[in-house]
PDB file of all heavy atoms in Angstrom:
ATOM      1  N   LYS A 256     181.911  70.997-127.439  1.00 96.00           N
ATOM      2  CA  LYS A 256     180.752  71.999-127.416  1.00 96.00           C
ATOM      3  C   LYS A 256     179.461  71.447-127.492  1.00 96.00           C
ATOM      4  O   LYS A 256     178.435  71.983-126.905  1.00 96.00           O
ATOM      5  CB  LYS A 256     181.142  73.205-128.291  1.00 96.00           C
ATOM      6  CG  LYS A 256     180.736  72.932-129.815  1.00 96.00           C
ATOM      7  CD  LYS A 256     180.917  74.179-130.507  1.00 96.00           C
ATOM      8  CE  LYS A 256     180.522  74.174-131.887  1.00 96.00           C
ATOM      9  NZ  LYS A 256     180.474  73.099-132.791  1.00 96.00           N
ATOM     10  N   LYS A 257     179.329  70.342-128.069  1.00 97.00           N
ATOM     11  CA  LYS A 257     177.931  69.670-128.264  1.00 97.00           C
ATOM     12  C   LYS A 257     177.527  69.007-126.970  1.00 97.00           C
ATOM     13  O   LYS A 257     176.425  69.151-126.558  1.00 97.00           O
ATOM     14  CB  LYS A 257     178.040  68.706-129.432  1.00 97.00           C
ATOM     15  CG  LYS A 257     177.897  69.410-130.834  1.00 97.00           C
ATOM     16  CD  LYS A 257     177.304  68.446-131.911  1.00 97.00           C
ATOM     17  CE  LYS A 257     177.170  69.145-133.167  1.00 97.00           C
ATOM     18  NZ  LYS A 257     177.935  68.613-134.251  1.00 97.00           N
ATOM     19  N   GLU A 258     178.517  68.313-126.415  1.00 96.00           N
ATOM     20  CA  GLU A 258     178.252  67.570-125.185  1.00 96.00           C
ATOM     21  C   GLU A 258     178.143  68.363-123.961  1.00 96.00           C
ATOM     22  O   GLU A 258     177.206  68.191-123.135  1.00 96.00           O
ATOM     23  CB  GLU A 258     179.437  66.486-125.021  1.00 96.00           C
ATOM     24  CG  GLU A 258     179.031  65.274-124.264  1.00 96.00           C
ATOM     25  CD  GLU A 258     180.308  64.465-124.166  1.00 96.00           C
ATOM     26  OE1 GLU A 258     181.070  64.464-125.078  1.00 96.00           O
ATOM     27  OE2 GLU A 258     180.400  63.746-123.106  1.00 96.00           O
ATOM     28  N   PHE A 259     178.945  69.271-123.804  1.00 97.00           N
ATOM     29  CA  PHE A 259     179.093  70.223-122.593  1.00 97.00           C
ATOM     30  C   PHE A 259     178.792  71.728-123.000  1.00 97.00           C
ATOM     31  O   PHE A 259     179.696  72.487-123.193  1.00 97.00           O
ATOM     32  CB  PHE A 259     180.402  70.093-121.891  1.00 97.00           C
ATOM     33  CG  PHE A 259     180.523  68.645-121.305  1.00 97.00           C
ATOM     34  CD1 PHE A 259     181.568  67.886-121.926  1.00 97.00           C
ATOM     35  CD2 PHE A 259     179.782  68.082-120.316  1.00 97.00           C
ATOM     36  CE1 PHE A 259     181.832  66.532-121.420  1.00 97.00           C
ATOM     37  CE2 PHE A 259     180.007  66.812-119.887  1.00 97.00           C
ATOM     38  CZ  PHE A 259     181.044  66.069-120.460  1.00 97.00           C
ATOM     39  N   PHE A 260     177.513  71.861-123.297  1.00 98.00           N
ATOM     40  CA  PHE A 260     177.158  73.204-123.979  1.00 98.00           C
ATOM     41  C   PHE A 260     176.948  74.291-122.875  1.00 98.00           C
ATOM     42  O   PHE A 260     176.793  75.531-123.228  1.00 98.00           O
ATOM     43  CB  PHE A 260     176.054  73.143-124.942  1.00 98.00           C
ATOM     44  CG  PHE A 260     174.798  72.378-124.337  1.00 98.00           C
ATOM     45  CD1 PHE A 260     173.880  73.054-123.655  1.00 98.00           C
ATOM     46  CD2 PHE A 260     174.664  70.963-124.552  1.00 98.00           C
ATOM     47  CE1 PHE A 260     172.807  72.338-123.082  1.00 98.00           C
ATOM     48  CE2 PHE A 260     173.670  70.286-124.011  1.00 98.00           C
ATOM     49  CZ  PHE A 260     172.702  70.949-123.236  1.00 98.00           C
ATOM     50  N   ALA A 261     176.707  74.016-121.602  1.00 98.00           N
ATOM     51  CA  ALA A 261     176.405  74.986-120.649  1.00 98.00           C
ATOM     52  C   ALA A 261     177.714  75.896-120.413  1.00 98.00           C
ATOM     53  O   ALA A 261     178.730  75.430-120.459  1.00 98.00           O
ATOM     54  CB  ALA A 261     176.083  74.291-119.330  1.00 98.00           C
ATOM     55  N   PRO A 262     177.487  77.229-120.284  1.00 97.00           N
ATOM     56  CA  PRO A 262     178.603  78.105-120.208  1.00 97.00           C
ATOM     57  C   PRO A 262     179.471  77.795-118.837  1.00 97.00           C
ATOM     58  O   PRO A 262     178.865  77.586-117.805  1.00 97.00           O
ATOM     59  CB  PRO A 262     178.087  79.438-120.033  1.00 97.00           C
ATOM     60  CG  PRO A 262     176.607  79.370-120.125  1.00 97.00           C
ATOM     61  CD  PRO A 262     176.291  77.960-120.278  1.00 97.00           C
ATOM     62  N   ARG A 263     180.710  77.571-119.034  1.00 97.00           N
ATOM     63  CA  ARG A 263     181.598  77.266-117.854  1.00 97.00           C
ATOM     64  C   ARG A 263     182.611  78.302-117.734  1.00 97.00           C
ATOM     65  O   ARG A 263     183.304  78.674-118.752  1.00 97.00           O
ATOM     66  CB  ARG A 263     182.205  75.886-117.978  1.00 97.00           C
ATOM     67  CG  ARG A 263     181.205  74.769-117.802  1.00 97.00           C
ATOM     68  CD  ARG A 263     181.858  73.339-118.124  1.00 97.00           C
ATOM     69  NE  ARG A 263     181.015  72.223-117.667  1.00 97.00           N
ATOM     70  CZ  ARG A 263     179.921  71.809-118.262  1.00 97.00           C
ATOM     71  NH1 ARG A 263     179.482  72.359-119.312  1.00 97.00           N
ATOM     72  NH2 ARG A 263     179.201  70.785-117.742  1.00 97.00           N
ATOM     73  N   PRO A 264     182.933  78.843-116.505  1.00 98.00           N
ATOM     74  CA  PRO A 264     183.854  79.857-116.400  1.00 98.00           C
ATOM     75  C   PRO A 264     185.347  79.467-116.737  1.00 98.00           C
ATOM     76  O   PRO A 264     185.566  78.253-116.538  1.00 98.00           O
ATOM     77  CB  PRO A 264     183.826  80.301-114.900  1.00 98.00           C
ATOM     78  CG  PRO A 264     182.622  79.606-114.389  1.00 98.00           C
ATOM     79  CD  PRO A 264     182.312  78.480-115.183  1.00 98.00           C
ATOM     80  N   TYR A 265     186.096  80.221-117.245  1.00 98.00           N
ATOM     81  CA  TYR A 265     187.543  79.869-117.592  1.00 98.00           C
ATOM     82  C   TYR A 265     188.268  79.498-116.245  1.00 98.00           C
ATOM     83  O   TYR A 265     188.905  78.431-116.149  1.00 98.00           O
ATOM     84  CB  TYR A 265     188.282  81.083-118.214  1.00 98.00           C
ATOM     85  CG  TYR A 265     189.803  80.840-118.261  1.00 98.00           C
ATOM     86  CD1 TYR A 265     190.369  79.971-119.076  1.00 98.00           C
ATOM     87  CD2 TYR A 265     190.537  81.705-117.382  1.00 98.00           C
ATOM     88  CE1 TYR A 265     191.765  79.691-119.100  1.00 98.00           C
ATOM     89  CE2 TYR A 265     192.001  81.428-117.429  1.00 98.00           C
ATOM     90  CZ  TYR A 265     192.523  80.516-118.303  1.00 98.00           C
ATOM     91  OH  TYR A 265     193.860  80.296-118.253  1.00 98.00           O
ATOM     92  N   SER A 266     188.014  80.267-115.156  1.00 98.00           N
ATOM     93  CA  SER A 266     188.688  79.942-113.897  1.00 98.00           C
ATOM     94  C   SER A 266     187.647  79.692-112.893  1.00 98.00           C
ATOM     95  O   SER A 266     186.828  80.637-112.584  1.00 98.00           O
ATOM     96  CB  SER A 266     189.794  80.905-113.548  1.00 98.00           C
ATOM     97  OG  SER A 266     190.149  80.524-112.107  1.00 98.00           O
ATOM     98  N   GLU A 267     187.627  78.566-112.189  1.00 98.00           N
ATOM     99  CA  GLU A 267     186.749  78.332-111.013  1.00 98.00           C
ATOM    100  C   GLU A 267     187.684  78.074-109.774  1.00 98.00           C
ATOM    101  O   GLU A 267     187.346  77.325-108.843  1.00 98.00           O
ATOM    102  CB  GLU A 267     185.802  77.137-111.145  1.00 98.00           C
ATOM    103  CG  GLU A 267     184.792  77.301-112.300  1.00 98.00           C
ATOM    104  CD  GLU A 267     183.912  76.053-112.429  1.00 98.00           C
ATOM    105  OE1 GLU A 267     184.363  75.126-113.143  1.00 98.00           O
ATOM    106  OE2 GLU A 267     182.831  76.103-111.868  1.00 98.00           O
ATOM    107  N   LYS A 268     189.006  78.686-109.830  1.00 98.00           N
ATOM    108  CA  LYS A 268     189.878  78.382-108.746  1.00 98.00           C
ATOM    109  C   LYS A 268     189.342  79.089-107.540  1.00 98.00           C
ATOM    110  O   LYS A 268     189.101  80.307-107.595  1.00 98.00           O
ATOM    111  CB  LYS A 268     191.303  78.927-109.077  1.00 98.00           C
ATOM    112  CG  LYS A 268     191.982  78.115-110.249  1.00 98.00           C
ATOM    113  CD  LYS A 268     193.287  78.598-110.249  1.00 98.00           C
ATOM    114  CE  LYS A 268     193.973  78.917-111.549  1.00 98.00           C
ATOM    115  NZ  LYS A 268     195.272  79.562-111.402  1.00 98.00           N
ATOM    116  N   LEU A 269     189.358  78.373-106.507  1.00 98.00           N
ATOM    117  CA  LEU A 269     188.955  79.091-105.126  1.00 98.00           C
ATOM    118  C   LEU A 269     190.247  78.998-104.143  1.00 98.00           C
ATOM    119  O   LEU A 269     190.986  78.151-104.156  1.00 98.00           O
ATOM    120  CB  LEU A 269     187.872  78.090-104.495  1.00 98.00           C
ATOM    121  CG  LEU A 269     186.470  78.117-105.071  1.00 98.00           C
ATOM    122  CD1 LEU A 269     185.593  77.221-104.219  1.00 98.00           C
ATOM    123  CD2 LEU A 269     185.926  79.413-105.349  1.00 98.00           C
ATOM    124  N   THR A 270     190.220  80.063-103.303  1.00 98.00           N
ATOM    125  CA  THR A 270     191.100  80.047-102.246  1.00 98.00           C
ATOM    126  C   THR A 270     190.282  80.122-100.933  1.00 98.00           C
ATOM    127  O   THR A 270     189.260  80.792-100.959  1.00 98.00           O
ATOM    128  CB  THR A 270     192.195  81.224-102.369  1.00 98.00           C
ATOM    129  OG1 THR A 270     193.020  81.154-101.162  1.00 98.00           O
ATOM    130  CG2 THR A 270     191.557  82.508-102.422  1.00 98.00           C
ATOM    131  N   ASN A 271     190.778  79.294 -99.950  1.00 98.00           N
ATOM    132  CA  ASN A 271     189.998  79.085 -98.798  1.00 98.00           C
ATOM    133  C   ASN A 271     190.537  79.873 -97.613  1.00 98.00           C
ATOM    134  O   ASN A 271     190.904  79.390 -96.570  1.00 98.00           O
ATOM    135  CB  ASN A 271     190.049  77.599 -98.388  1.00 98.00           C
ATOM    136  CG  ASN A 271     189.811  76.703 -99.456  1.00 98.00           C
ATOM    137  OD1 ASN A 271     188.840  76.645-100.192  1.00 98.00           O
ATOM    138  ND2 ASN A 271     190.779  75.834 -99.795  1.00 98.00           N
ATOM    139  N   ILE A 272     190.578  81.223 -97.792  1.00 98.00           N
ATOM    140  CA  ILE A 272     191.159  81.998 -96.765  1.00 98.00           C
ATOM    141  C   ILE A 272     190.643  81.896 -95.359  1.00 98.00           C
ATOM    142  O   ILE A 272     191.313  81.690 -94.441  1.00 98.00           O
ATOM    143  CB  ILE A 272     191.131  83.534 -97.286  1.00 98.00           C
ATOM    144  CG1 ILE A 272     192.010  83.680 -98.577  1.00 98.00           C
ATOM    145  CG2 ILE A 272     191.646  84.444 -96.166  1.00 98.00           C
ATOM    146  CD1 ILE A 272     191.922  85.070 -99.243  1.00 98.00           C
ATOM    147  N   LYS A 273     189.264  81.978 -95.273  1.00 98.00           N
ATOM    148  CA  LYS A 273     188.619  82.029 -93.994  1.00 98.00           C
ATOM    149  C   LYS A 273     188.759  80.669 -93.229  1.00 98.00           C
ATOM    150  O   LYS A 273     188.880  80.604 -92.048  1.00 98.00           O
ATOM    151  CB  LYS A 273     187.106  82.456 -94.129  1.00 98.00           C
ATOM    152  CG  LYS A 273     187.021  83.898 -94.454  1.00 98.00           C
ATOM    153  CD  LYS A 273     185.569  84.368 -94.826  1.00 98.00           C
ATOM    154  CE  LYS A 273     184.676  84.169 -93.568  1.00 98.00           C
ATOM    155  NZ  LYS A 273     183.257  84.578 -93.971  1.00 98.00           N
ATOM    156  N   LEU A 274     188.502  79.631 -93.981  1.00 98.00           N
ATOM    157  CA  LEU A 274     188.602  78.311 -93.373  1.00 98.00           C
ATOM    158  C   LEU A 274     190.012  77.957 -92.882  1.00 98.00           C
ATOM    159  O   LEU A 274     190.193  77.414 -91.789  1.00 98.00           O
ATOM    160  CB  LEU A 274     188.249  77.204 -94.464  1.00 98.00           C
ATOM    161  CG  LEU A 274     187.574  75.873 -94.023  1.00 98.00           C
ATOM    162  CD1 LEU A 274     186.393  76.166 -93.068  1.00 98.00           C
ATOM    163  CD2 LEU A 274     187.088  75.027 -95.111  1.00 98.00           C
ATOM    164  N   LYS A 275     190.995  78.267 -93.737  1.00 97.00           N
ATOM    165  CA  LYS A 275     192.389  78.107 -93.317  1.00 97.00           C
ATOM    166  C   LYS A 275     192.834  78.870 -92.106  1.00 97.00           C
ATOM    167  O   LYS A 275     193.527  78.385 -91.333  1.00 97.00           O
ATOM    168  CB  LYS A 275     193.341  78.415 -94.589  1.00 97.00           C
ATOM    169  CG  LYS A 275     194.097  77.277 -95.086  1.00 97.00           C
ATOM    170  CD  LYS A 275     194.845  77.477 -96.322  1.00 97.00           C
ATOM    171  CE  LYS A 275     195.284  78.774 -96.670  1.00 97.00           C
ATOM    172  NZ  LYS A 275     195.980  78.720 -97.987  1.00 97.00           N
ATOM    173  N   GLU A 276     192.168  80.023 -92.021  1.00 97.00           N
ATOM    174  CA  GLU A 276     192.541  80.871 -90.736  1.00 97.00           C
ATOM    175  C   GLU A 276     192.003  80.204 -89.545  1.00 97.00           C
ATOM    176  O   GLU A 276     192.652  80.217 -88.498  1.00 97.00           O
ATOM    177  CB  GLU A 276     191.805  82.231 -90.900  1.00 97.00           C
ATOM    178  CG  GLU A 276     192.873  83.333 -91.289  1.00 97.00           C
ATOM    179  CD  GLU A 276     192.142  84.622 -91.677  1.00 97.00           C
ATOM    180  OE1 GLU A 276     190.980  84.952 -91.074  1.00 97.00           O
ATOM    181  OE2 GLU A 276     192.640  85.321 -92.584  1.00 97.00           O
ATOM    182  N   LEU A 277     190.872  79.513 -89.686  1.00 98.00           N
ATOM    183  CA  LEU A 277     190.212  78.862 -88.519  1.00 98.00           C
ATOM    184  C   LEU A 277     191.063  77.669 -88.142  1.00 98.00           C
ATOM    185  O   LEU A 277     191.117  77.373 -86.979  1.00 98.00           O
ATOM    186  CB  LEU A 277     188.753  78.519 -88.847  1.00 98.00           C
ATOM    187  CG  LEU A 277     187.767  79.624 -88.940  1.00 98.00           C
ATOM    188  CD1 LEU A 277     186.360  79.118 -89.434  1.00 98.00           C
ATOM    189  CD2 LEU A 277     187.582  80.415 -87.660  1.00 98.00           C
ATOM    190  N   ASN A 278     191.316  76.821 -89.140  1.00 97.00           N
ATOM    191  CA  ASN A 278     191.920  75.574 -88.897  1.00 97.00           C
ATOM    192  C   ASN A 278     192.745  75.059 -90.252  1.00 97.00           C
ATOM    193  O   ASN A 278     191.967  74.654 -91.087  1.00 97.00           O
ATOM    194  CB  ASN A 278     190.927  74.491 -88.450  1.00 97.00           C
ATOM    195  CG  ASN A 278     191.591  73.176 -88.130  1.00 97.00           C
ATOM    196  OD1 ASN A 278     192.666  72.862 -88.522  1.00 97.00           O
ATOM    197  ND2 ASN A 278     190.784  72.369 -87.358  1.00 97.00           N
ATOM    198  N   SER A 279     193.962  75.190 -90.182  1.00 95.00           N
ATOM    199  CA  SER A 279     194.761  74.928 -91.464  1.00 95.00           C
ATOM    200  C   SER A 279     194.734  73.443 -91.830  1.00 95.00           C
ATOM    201  O   SER A 279     195.033  73.098 -92.971  1.00 95.00           O
ATOM    202  CB  SER A 279     196.121  75.335 -91.268  1.00 95.00           C
ATOM    203  OG  SER A 279     196.725  74.654 -90.179  1.00 95.00           O
ATOM    204  N   GLU A 280     194.261  72.622 -90.952  1.00 96.00           N
ATOM    205  CA  GLU A 280     194.209  71.085 -91.311  1.00 96.00           C
ATOM    206  C   GLU A 280     192.953  70.690 -92.177  1.00 96.00           C
ATOM    207  O   GLU A 280     192.860  69.609 -92.621  1.00 96.00           O
ATOM    208  CB  GLU A 280     194.261  70.284 -89.982  1.00 96.00           C
ATOM    209  CG  GLU A 280     195.673  70.297 -89.471  1.00 96.00           C
ATOM    210  CD  GLU A 280     195.767  69.657 -87.999  1.00 96.00           C
ATOM    211  OE1 GLU A 280     194.864  68.910 -87.683  1.00 96.00           O
ATOM    212  OE2 GLU A 280     196.678  69.981 -87.389  1.00 96.00           O
ATOM    213  N   LEU A 281     191.973  71.712 -92.263  1.00 97.00           N
ATOM    214  CA  LEU A 281     190.840  71.371 -92.860  1.00 97.00           C
ATOM    215  C   LEU A 281     190.946  71.240 -94.481  1.00 97.00           C
ATOM    216  O   LEU A 281     190.117  70.588 -95.120  1.00 97.00           O
ATOM    217  CB  LEU A 281     189.670  72.378 -92.585  1.00 97.00           C
ATOM    218  CG  LEU A 281     189.174  72.261 -91.173  1.00 97.00           C
ATOM    219  CD1 LEU A 281     188.268  73.444 -90.884  1.00 97.00           C
ATOM    220  CD2 LEU A 281     188.398  70.906 -90.892  1.00 97.00           C
ATOM    221  N   THR A 282     191.859  71.973 -94.997  1.00 96.00           N
ATOM    222  CA  THR A 282     192.047  71.928 -96.438  1.00 96.00           C
ATOM    223  C   THR A 282     193.406  71.363 -96.851  1.00 96.00           C
ATOM    224  O   THR A 282     194.360  71.917 -96.552  1.00 96.00           O
ATOM    225  CB  THR A 282     191.891  73.406 -96.918  1.00 96.00           C
ATOM    226  OG1 THR A 282     192.888  74.245 -96.338  1.00 96.00           O
ATOM    227  CG2 THR A 282     190.587  74.009 -96.707  1.00 96.00           C
ATOM    228  N   ARG A 283     193.366  70.265 -97.573  1.00 98.00           N
ATOM    229  CA  ARG A 283     194.689  69.665 -98.007  1.00 98.00           C
ATOM    230  C   ARG A 283     194.729  69.740 -99.460  1.00 98.00           C
ATOM    231  O   ARG A 283     193.872  70.060-100.208  1.00 98.00           O
ATOM    232  CB  ARG A 283     194.475  68.022 -97.680  1.00 98.00           C
ATOM    233  CG  ARG A 283     194.418  67.805 -96.091  1.00 98.00           C
ATOM    234  CD  ARG A 283     194.435  66.403 -95.835  1.00 98.00           C
ATOM    235  NE  ARG A 283     193.331  65.689 -96.365  1.00 98.00           N
ATOM    236  CZ  ARG A 283     193.160  64.377 -96.651  1.00 98.00           C
ATOM    237  NH1 ARG A 283     194.300  63.632 -96.425  1.00 98.00           N
ATOM    238  NH2 ARG A 283     192.136  63.856 -97.053  1.00 98.00           N
ATOM    239  N   ASP A 284     196.005  69.480 -99.890  1.00 98.00           N
ATOM    240  CA  ASP A 284     196.276  69.610-101.301  1.00 98.00           C
ATOM    241  C   ASP A 284     195.434  68.651-102.211  1.00 98.00           C
ATOM    242  O   ASP A 284     195.219  67.559-101.790  1.00 98.00           O
ATOM    243  CB  ASP A 284     197.787  69.330-101.487  1.00 98.00           C
ATOM    244  CG  ASP A 284     198.238  69.516-103.002  1.00 98.00           C
ATOM    245  OD1 ASP A 284     198.512  70.758-103.251  1.00 98.00           O
ATOM    246  OD2 ASP A 284     198.283  68.572-103.762  1.00 98.00           O
ATOM    247  N   TRP A 285     195.044  69.080-103.307  1.00 98.00           N
ATOM    248  CA  TRP A 285     194.073  68.281-104.084  1.00 98.00           C
ATOM    249  C   TRP A 285     194.768  67.026-104.580  1.00 98.00           C
ATOM    250  O   TRP A 285     194.067  65.962-104.724  1.00 98.00           O
ATOM    251  CB  TRP A 285     193.481  69.024-105.345  1.00 98.00           C
ATOM    252  CG  TRP A 285     194.386  69.413-106.504  1.00 98.00           C
ATOM    253  CD1 TRP A 285     195.042  70.618-106.667  1.00 98.00           C
ATOM    254  CD2 TRP A 285     194.751  68.589-107.592  1.00 98.00           C
ATOM    255  NE1 TRP A 285     195.776  70.600-107.866  1.00 98.00           N
ATOM    256  CE2 TRP A 285     195.575  69.339-108.545  1.00 98.00           C
ATOM    257  CE3 TRP A 285     194.347  67.243-107.996  1.00 98.00           C
ATOM    258  CZ2 TRP A 285     196.150  68.880-109.701  1.00 98.00           C
ATOM    259  CZ3 TRP A 285     194.929  66.748-109.223  1.00 98.00           C
ATOM    260  CH2 TRP A 285     195.794  67.587-110.041  1.00 98.00           C
ATOM    261  N   LYS A 286     196.173  66.994-104.831  1.00 98.00           N
ATOM    262  CA  LYS A 286     196.708  65.757-105.313  1.00 98.00           C
ATOM    263  C   LYS A 286     196.758  64.670-104.163  1.00 98.00           C
ATOM    264  O   LYS A 286     196.595  63.495-104.420  1.00 98.00           O
ATOM    265  CB  LYS A 286     198.217  65.985-105.738  1.00 98.00           C
ATOM    266  CG  LYS A 286     198.135  66.788-107.018  1.00 98.00           C
ATOM    267  CD  LYS A 286     199.561  66.932-107.600  1.00 98.00           C
ATOM    268  CE  LYS A 286     199.484  67.575-108.973  1.00 98.00           C
ATOM    269  NZ  LYS A 286     200.736  68.047-109.497  1.00 98.00           N
ATOM    270  N   GLN A 287     196.976  65.124-102.942  1.00 98.00           N
ATOM    271  CA  GLN A 287     196.970  64.281-101.773  1.00 98.00           C
ATOM    272  C   GLN A 287     195.450  63.638-101.687  1.00 98.00           C
ATOM    273  O   GLN A 287     195.342  62.406-101.455  1.00 98.00           O
ATOM    274  CB  GLN A 287     197.273  64.992-100.536  1.00 98.00           C
ATOM    275  CG  GLN A 287     197.409  64.066 -99.263  1.00 98.00           C
ATOM    276  CD  GLN A 287     197.516  64.929 -97.937  1.00 98.00           C
ATOM    277  OE1 GLN A 287     197.709  66.179 -98.019  1.00 98.00           O
ATOM    278  NE2 GLN A 287     197.632  64.226 -96.897  1.00 98.00           N
ATOM    279  N   CYS A 288     194.466  64.535-101.830  1.00 98.00           N
ATOM    280  CA  CYS A 288     193.171  63.967-101.683  1.00 98.00           C
ATOM    281  C   CYS A 288     192.693  63.067-102.913  1.00 98.00           C
ATOM    282  O   CYS A 288     192.122  62.001-102.535  1.00 98.00           O
ATOM    283  CB  CYS A 288     192.106  65.159-101.687  1.00 98.00           C
ATOM    284  SG  CYS A 288     192.417  66.163-100.224  1.00 98.00           S
ATOM    285  N   LEU A 289     193.101  63.436-104.108  1.00 98.00           N
ATOM    286  CA  LEU A 289     192.763  62.568-105.161  1.00 98.00           C
ATOM    287  C   LEU A 289     193.481  61.138-105.096  1.00 98.00           C
ATOM    288  O   LEU A 289     192.874  60.177-105.399  1.00 98.00           O
ATOM    289  CB  LEU A 289     193.088  63.228-106.566  1.00 98.00           C
ATOM    290  CG  LEU A 289     192.753  62.488-107.897  1.00 98.00           C
ATOM    291  CD1 LEU A 289     191.256  62.009-107.899  1.00 98.00           C
ATOM    292  CD2 LEU A 289     192.972  63.451-109.071  1.00 98.00           C
TER     293      LEU A 289
END
Side-chain angles (χ1 to χ4, degrees):
K256 77 173 188 333
K257 282 206 176 115
E258 203 180 331
F259 298 114
F260 50 85
R263 286 171 167 79
Y265 167 67
S266 172
E267 295 181 277
K268 290 194 223 168
L269 294 181
T270 176
N271 315 301
I272 295 175
K273 289 172 68 182
L274 206 54
K275 241 173 23 185
E276 253 170 36
L277 290 173
N278 183 338
S279 60
E280 286 171 19
L281 290 171
T282 57
R283 296 185 294 158
D284 185 83
W285 71 263
K286 289 187 177 171
Q287 187 186 355
C288 293
L289 181 53

